[in-house]
Amino acid sequence: MTVPVTAPGGALVLADGLAVSRLGYGAMQLAGPGVFGPPRDRDEAIAVLRTAVESGVTHIDTADFYGPRVVNEIIREALAPYPDGLHIVTKVGARRGPDGSWLPAVSPAELVAQVHDNLASLGVAALDVVNYRHAEHGGPADSIAEAFGALAELRRDGLIRHLGLSSVSVSQLDEAQAIAPVVTVQNEYNLAARGDDAMVDRCERDGIAYVPFFPLGGFTPLQSDILTRVADRLGHSRQQVALAWLLRRSPAIALIPGTSSRAHLRENLGAADLRLPDDAMAELDAIGSAAAS
Ligand SMILES: NC(=O)c1ccc[n+]([C@@H]2O[C@H](COP(=O)([O-])OP(=O)(O)OC[C@H]3O[C@@H](n4cnc5c(N)ncnc54)[C@H](OP(=O)(O)O)[C@@H]3O)[C@@H](O)[C@H]2O)c1
């Protein structure tokens, strides 16, 4: 499989030798219900991944704790040997309980084990980007130095090429940047959930890719009369408009919308061709202000 020359949404350079399509793909939805166990339709999951890459997507987001292992194994089955130019971004910092619960796993030993789990399930000798995910435990004021430092050591050892962060605050980004370069921040952000505006601006200033998770609202799909009105007027779907808003919000943003269907994947990639006019941007901006008030 070869990666087409044209990246949907254009390319965003994260670091030397690391450029990704601004429209990427988030693989979490390929696991079973609750991101646990096998998918309802494994053949469709494989087809979604292959269609994404054939369409020019060069950024796939995953984690070994999706399933667990299920999603990484499907990625490997669908795409290995991986084409040049495709970048698989994974994350560590959690494990799953036997009932599917999300549990913290942030000690250096647990992080090292998760990196090795990702190497094995994806079938690679080194991971392109590993995000340290600070979600299940503590909050925005915690020190992440020990956890991020453990990953920085694996980067020095060559098991990881680049490091990123997920579910972190600006002060935690400061702390991490003093330890090793950070190429991505992956926090929750979308048209209605605008609590991370300052982080988006900070990433733009520092040349870090900001990769919002739940760009379409995640498990709670975006609902807004304004969004519906703008989408109807422009003749595009609400999902395309929500993604186009993010693409225009900052040139530092790279998207990883998730879907388990090729039809939704193609629709989402169509956001690359939608340049929102200024009046539509202003109308859509009001959704976040209304949600925040
Ligand atoms: N770092 C973290 O802590 C964290 C947390 C959550 C997610 N993530 C990452 O972020 C990625 C994106 O988040 P997400 O997948 O949870 O949420 P999302 O992209 O906001 O939304 C996905 C949901 O929207 C639906 N959908 C997608 N395209 C659609 C379309 N065109 N029309 C109608 N429905 C559509 C999907 O259902 P269908 O399957 O039916 O299309 C799915 O239920 C994940 O895949 C994962 O890689 C990271």
Side-chain angles (χ1 to χ4, degrees):
M1 189 182 284
T2 52
V3 174
V5 180
T6 309
L12 184 64
V13 177
L14 275 57
D16 274 354
L18 181 66
V20 297
S21 53
R22 285 191 77 205
L23 264 161
Y25 172 69
M28 187 177 86
Q29 304 292 342
L30 297 183
V35 199
F36 199 59
R40 289 190 193 90
D41 186 343
R42 189 181 173 90
D43 290 345
E44 179 66 11
I46 286 173
V48 166
L49 285 161
R50 289 184 177 157
T51 303
V53 173
E54 285 161 5
S55 306
V57 164
T58 61
H59 178 193
I60 294 180
D61 186 79
T62 186
D64 197 61
F65 47 73
Y66 293 162
R69 281 177 308 282
V70 170
V71 170
N72 277 1
E73 286 171 357
I74 293 174
I75 290 174
R76 183 179 185 173
E77 183 180 337
L79 302 176
Y82 301 109
D84 286 345
L86 175 66
H87 298 290
I88 299 176
V89 176
T90 192
K91 58 189 91 65
V92 293
R95 65 185 174 85
R96 308 301 292 277
D99 56 351
S101 51
W102 297 77
L103 304 167
V106 296
S107 70
E110 287 172 305
L111 294 170
V112 171
Q114 289 169 71
V115 166
H116 283 281
D117 288 346
N118 276 283
L119 290 167
S121 54
L122 289 170
V124 293
L127 298 166
D128 274 337
V129 183
V130 174
N131 286 327
Y132 167 65
R133 177 177 178 273
H134 188 75
E136 265 69 43
H137 42 283
D142 297 339
S143 171
I144 61 167
E146 186 184 52
F148 195 74
L151 295 175
E153 244 174 73
L154 297 182
R155 178 172 165 267
R156 280 192 292 274
D157 294 344
L159 296 183
I160 298 173
R161 295 194 183 96
H162 302 279
L163 293 170
L165 296 168
S166 178
S167 296
V168 292
S169 61
V170 169
S171 62
Q172 286 165 334
L173 171 60
D174 291 338
E175 195 182 23
Q177 282 181 307
I179 296 170
V182 174
V183 302
T184 61
V185 168
Q186 188 177 121
N187 284 354
E188 181 174 358
Y189 186 77
N190 60 46
L191 202 48
R194 300 278 298 278
D196 219 26
D197 270 324
M199 181 68 100
V200 176
D201 296 337
R202 161 70 178 269
C203 286
E204 184 175 326
R205 207 183 65 221
D206 284 9
I208 296 171
Y210 184 87
V211 183
F213 73 77
F214 295 162
L216 299 172
F219 300 110
T220 317
L222 290 172
Q223 302 285 351
S224 154
D225 291 343
I226 299 174
L227 177 59
T228 303
R229 192 171 66 227
V230 172
D232 288 350
R233 195 171 72 231
L234 297 176
H236 285 267
S237 73
R238 287 178 295 119
Q239 288 78 11
Q240 287 175 323
V241 171
L243 295 174
W245 180 86
L246 284 164
L247 287 176
R248 222 194 126 174
R249 165 67 180 82
S250 166
I253 286 184
L255 298 178
I256 51 164
T259 178
S260 53
S261 89
R262 276 171 290 177
H264 285 170
L265 171 75
R266 290 193 186 99
E267 182 181 328
N268 296 344
L269 293 178
D273 303 321
L274 173 57
R275 167 109 189 139
L276 291 176
D278 291 346
D279 60 342
M281 272 311 273
E283 257 178 282
L284 294 165
D285 279 343
I287 297 174
S289 321
S293 61

